Amino acid sequence: MSDAEPGLRERKRLATRLAIQQAALAIAASDGLGAVTVDEISRRADISPRTFFNYFPSKEQALLGDDPTLPADEQLDVFVGGGPSGDLLRDVGVLLVHSTQALIDERGLISERQEVLRANPELFSRRMASMKEFQHEIETAVARRLEAGEPDPEVRRRQARLASIVALGALRHAWWEWSEQDGETRLVDELEQSFADLGALVSRSLV
């Protein structure tokens, strides 16, 4: 299962990060993208512009929110080395859980962000580009893991790309399931469940 609840300091950091995103999206939704400025976001979030830049490099990134990224630490090394379970899809799921734990899972942000993205195609394009970059990260990690057992680089490339696409599909499934609920279920828990369901489906197809 996912890690323990964050401490007080981390909860305050997440609350500030959430407030910045909520302010940015509210301005864009009510007044348009041109009205979104760092000063106005900071005013509504009750922080200083200097504090804003401690959390986001630009107003556009505050609108888009956190980009998912793979952990650049021991979890990635364990995955590339063939762990933690030895099952590729299950281990990709573990890796994405580590990535998702760093994201803010506030249901209210989803509909607000989708509305702003629909009204501003340039932001939507940036979101798609960030997800494509994340897919490439997954593909690269899987290809590195496959090096130990697959000598053909073309086969590794094809398999790694397929695994990355499947992984993002499971992540999207988790987001949908989580966003449609009203309970206390966390996004990371839904992601774990989506990969468990995926594993069950794959196993069923083999019998």
Side-chain angles (χ1 to χ4, degrees):
M1 294 296 292
S2 51
D3 295 340
E5 292 293 327
L8 177 60
R9 182 175 181 180
E10 178 65 8
R11 291 200 300 272
K12 288 182 177 180
R13 187 191 71 82
L14 291 174
T16 300
R17 198 170 189 85
L18 174 61
I20 292 171
Q21 294 178 69
Q22 289 174 325
L25 290 169
I27 298 166
S30 61
D31 303 322
L33 191 60
V36 180
T37 65
V38 171
D39 285 342
E40 182 60 16
I41 294 171
S42 301
R43 186 186 69 80
R44 294 202 188 192
D46 196 26
I47 60 172
S48 68
R50 181 177 180 179
T51 298
F52 171 93
F53 287 112
N54 288 335
Y55 286 86
F56 292 100
S58 67
K59 63 181 184 181
E60 289 82 8
Q61 197 61 52
L63 288 164
L64 292 171
D66 301 308
D67 291 329
T69 184
L70 292 183
D73 53 23
E74 61 185 63
Q75 283 89 10
L76 183 57
D77 292 337
V78 168
F79 173 81
V80 171
S85 75
D87 180 278
L88 178 62
L89 285 180
R90 184 183 301 175
D91 292 343
V92 170
V94 172
L95 205 58
L96 292 191
V97 163
H98 285 296
S99 300
T100 306
Q101 284 174 332
L103 303 179
I104 290 179
D105 54 353
E106 174 62 40
R107 288 180 175 86
L109 286 180
I110 294 179
S111 59
E112 295 171 13
R113 180 165 289 124
Q114 288 177 336
E115 179 182 342
V116 170
L117 290 178
R118 282 194 296 267
N120 299 277
E122 66 274 27
L123 286 178
F124 182 79
S125 296
R126 288 186 59 165
R127 168 59 73 187
M128 291 301 98
S130 69
M131 292 308 296
K132 185 175 181 179
E133 186 174 324
F134 185 47
Q135 180 188 334
H136 180 68
E137 285 187 50
I138 300 171
E139 184 178 331
T140 300
V142 173
R144 289 176 58 197
R145 173 168 170 152
L146 294 177
E147 286 180 2
E150 176 51 65
D152 189 330
E154 179 61 15
V155 172
R156 290 200 304 268
R157 182 195 65 79
R158 289 177 59 88
Q159 292 179 345
R161 177 165 294 177
L162 178 58
S164 70
I165 292 171
V166 171
L168 286 187
L171 178 58
R172 174 177 285 187
H173 177 263
W175 271 97
W176 279 342
E177 291 293 320
W178 171 76
S179 65
E180 292 174 355
Q181 297 182 27
D182 296 325
E184 297 299 320
T185 303
R186 296 177 300 172
L187 175 58
V188 292
D189 296 327
E190 282 296 339
L191 182 58
E192 289 175 334
Q193 186 60 53
S194 290
F195 271 93
D197 293 343
L198 177 61
L201 286 172
V202 171
S203 298
R204 185 176 301 170
S205 70
L206 297 177
V207 298

mmCIF file of all heavy atoms in Angstrom, residues 175-197:
data_model
loop_
_atom_site.group_PDB
_atom_site.id
_atom_site.type_symbol
_atom_site.label_atom_id
_atom_site.label_comp_id
_atom_site.label_asym_id
_atom_site.label_seq_id
_atom_site.Cartn_x
_atom_site.Cartn_y
_atom_site.Cartn_z
ATOM 1 N N TRP A 175 -7.479 7.708 -12.644
ATOM 2 C CA TRP A 175 -7.975 9.081 -12.529
ATOM 3 C C TRP A 175 -9.490 9.116 -12.702
ATOM 4 O O TRP A 175 -10.191 9.815 -11.942
ATOM 5 C CB TRP A 175 -7.313 9.971 -13.585
ATOM 6 C CG TRP A 175 -6.039 10.596 -13.147
ATOM 7 C CD1 TRP A 175 -4.769 10.170 -13.388
ATOM 8 C CD2 TRP A 175 -5.893 11.797 -12.365
ATOM 9 N NE1 TRP A 175 -3.852 11.008 -12.811
ATOM 10 C CE2 TRP A 175 -4.507 12.019 -12.186
ATOM 11 C CE3 TRP A 175 -6.789 12.692 -11.803
ATOM 12 C CZ2 TRP A 175 -4.010 13.091 -11.459
ATOM 13 C CZ3 TRP A 175 -6.289 13.777 -11.085
ATOM 14 C CH2 TRP A 175 -4.916 13.956 -10.923
ATOM 15 N N TRP A 176 -10.029 8.443 -13.686
ATOM 16 C CA TRP A 176 -11.478 8.434 -13.908
ATOM 17 C C TRP A 176 -12.219 7.854 -12.716
ATOM 18 O O TRP A 176 -13.214 8.427 -12.239
ATOM 19 C CB TRP A 176 -11.807 7.623 -15.165
ATOM 20 C CG TRP A 176 -11.627 8.386 -16.438
ATOM 21 C CD1 TRP A 176 -11.540 9.744 -16.595
ATOM 22 C CD2 TRP A 176 -11.492 7.832 -17.754
ATOM 23 N NE1 TRP A 176 -11.350 10.063 -17.916
ATOM 24 C CE2 TRP A 176 -11.333 8.921 -18.657
ATOM 25 C CE3 TRP A 176 -11.497 6.534 -18.261
ATOM 26 C CZ2 TRP A 176 -11.176 8.735 -20.021
ATOM 27 C CZ3 TRP A 176 -11.346 6.354 -19.622
ATOM 28 C CH2 TRP A 176 -11.186 7.437 -20.486
ATOM 29 N N GLU A 177 -11.762 6.694 -12.253
ATOM 30 C CA GLU A 177 -12.425 6.056 -11.128
ATOM 31 C C GLU A 177 -12.398 6.941 -9.886
ATOM 32 O O GLU A 177 -13.397 7.079 -9.172
ATOM 33 C CB GLU A 177 -11.750 4.705 -10.821
ATOM 34 C CG GLU A 177 -11.963 3.645 -11.884
ATOM 35 C CD GLU A 177 -13.405 3.204 -11.968
ATOM 36 O OE1 GLU A 177 -14.052 3.062 -10.901
ATOM 37 O OE2 GLU A 177 -13.906 3.002 -13.092
ATOM 38 N N TRP A 178 -11.255 7.536 -9.638
ATOM 39 C CA TRP A 178 -11.085 8.370 -8.453
ATOM 40 C C TRP A 178 -11.920 9.646 -8.534
ATOM 41 O O TRP A 178 -12.574 10.051 -7.580
ATOM 42 C CB TRP A 178 -9.605 8.699 -8.293
ATOM 43 C CG TRP A 178 -9.309 9.712 -7.238
ATOM 44 C CD1 TRP A 178 -9.307 9.536 -5.884
ATOM 45 C CD2 TRP A 178 -8.969 11.085 -7.455
ATOM 46 N NE1 TRP A 178 -8.979 10.711 -5.244
ATOM 47 C CE2 TRP A 178 -8.763 11.676 -6.191
ATOM 48 C CE3 TRP A 178 -8.804 11.852 -8.601
ATOM 49 C CZ2 TRP A 178 -8.427 13.006 -6.049
ATOM 50 C CZ3 TRP A 178 -8.456 13.191 -8.458
ATOM 51 C CH2 TRP A 178 -8.277 13.751 -7.189
ATOM 52 N N SER A 179 -11.936 10.289 -9.709
ATOM 53 C CA SER A 179 -12.628 11.571 -9.859
ATOM 54 C C SER A 179 -14.137 11.430 -9.778
ATOM 55 O O SER A 179 -14.841 12.385 -9.450
ATOM 56 C CB SER A 179 -12.245 12.227 -11.195
ATOM 57 O OG SER A 179 -12.693 11.446 -12.291
ATOM 58 N N GLU A 180 -14.660 10.229 -10.056
ATOM 59 C CA GLU A 180 -16.108 10.013 -10.028
ATOM 60 C C GLU A 180 -16.621 9.644 -8.649
ATOM 61 O O GLU A 180 -17.830 9.507 -8.455
ATOM 62 C CB GLU A 180 -16.485 8.922 -11.034
ATOM 63 C CG GLU A 180 -16.284 9.345 -12.490
ATOM 64 C CD GLU A 180 -16.520 8.211 -13.461
ATOM 65 O OE1 GLU A 180 -16.755 7.074 -12.993
ATOM 66 O OE2 GLU A 180 -16.482 8.458 -14.677
ATOM 67 N N GLN A 181 -15.719 9.504 -7.693
ATOM 68 C CA GLN A 181 -16.129 9.125 -6.344
ATOM 69 C C GLN A 181 -16.275 10.345 -5.448
ATOM 70 O O GLN A 181 -15.666 11.385 -5.674
ATOM 71 C CB GLN A 181 -15.110 8.164 -5.733
ATOM 72 C CG GLN A 181 -14.993 6.839 -6.475
ATOM 73 C CD GLN A 181 -14.004 5.907 -5.813
ATOM 74 O OE1 GLN A 181 -13.768 5.988 -4.607
ATOM 75 N NE2 GLN A 181 -13.422 5.027 -6.592
ATOM 76 N N ASP A 182 -17.081 10.180 -4.411
ATOM 77 C CA ASP A 182 -17.264 11.247 -3.426
ATOM 78 C C ASP A 182 -16.632 10.896 -2.085
ATOM 79 O O ASP A 182 -16.691 11.681 -1.146
ATOM 80 C CB ASP A 182 -18.769 11.517 -3.209
ATOM 81 C CG ASP A 182 -19.445 12.032 -4.465
ATOM 82 O OD1 ASP A 182 -18.788 12.786 -5.219
ATOM 83 O OD2 ASP A 182 -20.610 11.673 -4.702
ATOM 84 N N GLY A 183 -16.048 9.720 -1.993
ATOM 85 C CA GLY A 183 -15.514 9.257 -0.720
ATOM 86 C C GLY A 183 -14.117 9.757 -0.442
ATOM 87 O O GLY A 183 -13.624 10.711 -1.031
ATOM 88 N N GLU A 184 -13.450 9.050 0.468
ATOM 89 C CA GLU A 184 -12.122 9.444 0.929
ATOM 90 C C GLU A 184 -11.004 8.680 0.229
ATOM 91 O O GLU A 184 -9.841 8.791 0.622
ATOM 92 C CB GLU A 184 -12.025 9.221 2.446
ATOM 93 C CG GLU A 184 -12.985 10.063 3.265
ATOM 94 C CD GLU A 184 -12.743 11.556 3.064
ATOM 95 O OE1 GLU A 184 -11.566 11.961 2.993
ATOM 96 O OE2 GLU A 184 -13.733 12.298 2.983
ATOM 97 N N THR A 185 -11.346 7.907 -0.795
ATOM 98 C CA THR A 185 -10.326 7.142 -1.507
ATOM 99 C C THR A 185 -9.307 8.080 -2.130
ATOM 100 O O THR A 185 -9.659 9.097 -2.735
ATOM 101 C CB THR A 185 -10.964 6.293 -2.628
ATOM 102 O OG1 THR A 185 -11.948 5.451 -2.050
ATOM 103 C CG2 THR A 185 -9.910 5.437 -3.319
ATOM 104 N N ARG A 186 -8.031 7.747 -2.002
ATOM 105 C CA ARG A 186 -6.967 8.570 -2.563
ATOM 106 C C ARG A 186 -6.602 8.093 -3.963
ATOM 107 O O ARG A 186 -6.825 6.931 -4.327
ATOM 108 C CB ARG A 186 -5.737 8.540 -1.663
ATOM 109 C CG ARG A 186 -5.967 9.149 -0.281
ATOM 110 C CD ARG A 186 -4.727 9.025 0.573
ATOM 111 N NE ARG A 186 -4.356 7.626 0.760
ATOM 112 C CZ ARG A 186 -3.226 7.238 1.347
ATOM 113 N NH1 ARG A 186 -2.371 8.140 1.790
ATOM 114 N NH2 ARG A 186 -2.953 5.956 1.493
ATOM 115 N N LEU A 187 -6.038 8.999 -4.732
ATOM 116 C CA LEU A 187 -5.657 8.669 -6.096
ATOM 117 C C LEU A 187 -4.663 7.510 -6.127
ATOM 118 O O LEU A 187 -4.755 6.616 -6.980
ATOM 119 C CB LEU A 187 -5.064 9.904 -6.785
ATOM 120 C CG LEU A 187 -4.501 9.700 -8.197
ATOM 121 C CD1 LEU A 187 -5.555 9.150 -9.135
ATOM 122 C CD2 LEU A 187 -3.925 11.011 -8.727
ATOM 123 N N VAL A 188 -3.695 7.516 -5.215
ATOM 124 C CA VAL A 188 -2.693 6.442 -5.227
ATOM 125 C C VAL A 188 -3.336 5.087 -4.962
ATOM 126 O O VAL A 188 -2.919 4.068 -5.524
ATOM 127 C CB VAL A 188 -1.555 6.705 -4.210
ATOM 128 C CG1 VAL A 188 -0.715 7.884 -4.636
ATOM 129 C CG2 VAL A 188 -2.103 6.911 -2.803
ATOM 130 N N ASP A 189 -4.386 5.060 -4.132
ATOM 131 C CA ASP A 189 -5.074 3.799 -3.865
ATOM 132 C C ASP A 189 -5.801 3.308 -5.111
ATOM 133 O O ASP A 189 -5.811 2.106 -5.405
ATOM 134 C CB ASP A 189 -6.057 3.969 -2.700
ATOM 135 C CG ASP A 189 -5.360 4.312 -1.398
ATOM 136 O OD1 ASP A 189 -4.221 3.838 -1.198
ATOM 137 O OD2 ASP A 189 -5.934 5.063 -0.597
ATOM 138 N N GLU A 190 -6.419 4.227 -5.845
ATOM 139 C CA GLU A 190 -7.092 3.852 -7.090
ATOM 140 C C GLU A 190 -6.082 3.359 -8.126
ATOM 141 O O GLU A 190 -6.368 2.452 -8.906
ATOM 142 C CB GLU A 190 -7.884 5.033 -7.654
ATOM 143 C CG GLU A 190 -9.195 5.290 -6.961
ATOM 144 C CD GLU A 190 -10.193 4.146 -7.120
ATOM 145 O OE1 GLU A 190 -10.035 3.343 -8.063
ATOM 146 O OE2 GLU A 190 -11.120 4.057 -6.308
ATOM 147 N N LEU A 191 -4.898 3.975 -8.147
ATOM 148 C CA LEU A 191 -3.880 3.548 -9.097
ATOM 149 C C LEU A 191 -3.418 2.129 -8.776
ATOM 150 O O LEU A 191 -3.251 1.296 -9.682
ATOM 151 C CB LEU A 191 -2.696 4.518 -9.068
ATOM 152 C CG LEU A 191 -1.561 4.223 -10.056
ATOM 153 C CD1 LEU A 191 -2.075 4.214 -11.490
ATOM 154 C CD2 LEU A 191 -0.451 5.268 -9.900
ATOM 155 N N GLU A 192 -3.209 1.844 -7.502
ATOM 156 C CA GLU A 192 -2.839 0.488 -7.105
ATOM 157 C C GLU A 192 -3.912 -0.504 -7.531
ATOM 158 O O GLU A 192 -3.612 -1.595 -8.040
ATOM 159 C CB GLU A 192 -2.622 0.433 -5.592
ATOM 160 C CG GLU A 192 -1.360 1.145 -5.125
ATOM 161 C CD GLU A 192 -1.237 1.181 -3.609
ATOM 162 O OE1 GLU A 192 -2.285 1.121 -2.929
ATOM 163 O OE2 GLU A 192 -0.114 1.269 -3.110
ATOM 164 N N GLN A 193 -5.181 -0.124 -7.348
ATOM 165 C CA GLN A 193 -6.277 -1.011 -7.715
ATOM 166 C C GLN A 193 -6.364 -1.213 -9.221
ATOM 167 O O GLN A 193 -6.629 -2.322 -9.700
ATOM 168 C CB GLN A 193 -7.607 -0.460 -7.181
ATOM 169 C CG GLN A 193 -8.790 -1.395 -7.396
ATOM 170 C CD GLN A 193 -8.587 -2.733 -6.705
ATOM 171 O OE1 GLN A 193 -8.294 -2.784 -5.510
ATOM 172 N NE2 GLN A 193 -8.730 -3.834 -7.455
ATOM 173 N N SER A 194 -6.113 -0.140 -9.992
ATOM 174 C CA SER A 194 -6.167 -0.254 -11.449
ATOM 175 C C SER A 194 -5.113 -1.226 -11.965
ATOM 176 O O SER A 194 -5.380 -2.039 -12.861
ATOM 177 C CB SER A 194 -5.976 1.123 -12.101
ATOM 178 O OG SER A 194 -7.103 1.948 -11.878
ATOM 179 N N PHE A 195 -3.916 -1.172 -11.406
ATOM 180 C CA PHE A 195 -2.875 -2.105 -11.832
ATOM 181 C C PHE A 195 -3.164 -3.523 -11.341
ATOM 182 O O PHE A 195 -2.833 -4.498 -12.027
ATOM 183 C CB PHE A 195 -1.499 -1.633 -11.363
ATOM 184 C CG PHE A 195 -0.825 -0.728 -12.353
ATOM 185 C CD1 PHE A 195 -0.954 0.644 -12.264
ATOM 186 C CD2 PHE A 195 -0.082 -1.244 -13.399
ATOM 187 C CE1 PHE A 195 -0.359 1.482 -13.182
ATOM 188 C CE2 PHE A 195 0.534 -0.422 -14.325
ATOM 189 C CZ PHE A 195 0.391 0.950 -14.223
ATOM 190 N N ALA A 196 -3.805 -3.652 -10.187
ATOM 191 C CA ALA A 196 -4.211 -4.980 -9.724
ATOM 192 C C ALA A 196 -5.266 -5.559 -10.663
ATOM 193 O O ALA A 196 -5.220 -6.750 -11.017
ATOM 194 C CB ALA A 196 -4.748 -4.900 -8.290
ATOM 195 N N ASP A 197 -6.226 -4.724 -11.078
ATOM 196 C CA ASP A 197 -7.242 -5.173 -12.023
ATOM 197 C C ASP A 197 -6.625 -5.543 -13.356
ATOM 198 O O ASP A 197 -7.009 -6.535 -13.986
ATOM 199 C CB ASP A 197 -8.282 -4.074 -12.240
ATOM 200 C CG ASP A 197 -9.120 -3.801 -10.998
ATOM 201 O OD1 ASP A 197 -9.134 -4.655 -10.083
ATOM 202 O OD2 ASP A 197 -9.754 -2.723 -10.936
#
